[in-house]
Amino acid sequence: MGFSQKYPPVKILSEKDWKRILITGGACFVGSQLTDKLMMDGHDVTAVDNFFTGRKRNMEHWIGHENFELINHDVALHRVVGEARGSPSTAGFYV
């Protein structure tokens, strides 16, 4: 019997409504709440966090979902914000 990951329900958006969104500080309290909202609204979310104050457990329920990526990185050290997942974000939230 295989393992099947359960995720919170996610809307299916049309191409014109769908956005690829980058959230820095994604594993902190505010960032994780924003991630939940945007994921459930049907968007593609990349969360970047250095885990100095954020916690991976705030994001665990999305790990493995095809519309989610979690990157352990300190954006203060490098300018990677525009190139996450190989293409520019259509929106960004900096928490």
Side-chain angles (χ1 to χ4, degrees):
M1 186 182 303
F3 174 74
S4 177
Q5 174 71 36
K6 299 281 185 181
Y7 302 105
V10 174
K11 292 179 186 175
I12 305 296
L13 296 176
S14 68
E15 189 173 327
K16 73 177 188 69
D17 294 327
W18 174 87
K19 291 184 175 30
R20 175 173 288 137
I21 300 169
L22 174 69
I23 302 173
T24 60
C28 70
F29 177 76
V30 173
S32 65
Q33 299 297 310
L34 181 58
T35 296
D36 287 345
K37 169 75 170 116
L38 294 168
M39 285 292 295
M40 289 187 278
D41 283 350
H43 300 290
D44 189 286
V45 175
T46 299
V48 179
D49 205 293
N50 64 1
F51 299 104
F52 184 69
T53 59
R55 300 291 175 252
K56 188 174 181 179
R57 70 176 173 263
N58 293 340
M59 313 303 287
E60 286 179 338
H61 54 286
W62 293 117
I63 293 174
H65 193 282
E66 65 182 348
N67 294 347
F68 178 75
E69 183 175 6
L70 178 60
I71 299 173
N72 181 356
H73 185 77
D74 186 345
V75 295
L77 299 177
H78 301 94
R79 299 182 65 92
V80 299
V81 172
E83 294 302 319
R85 297 178 91 170
S87 64
S89 298
T90 55
F93 295 91
Y94 308 99
V95 181

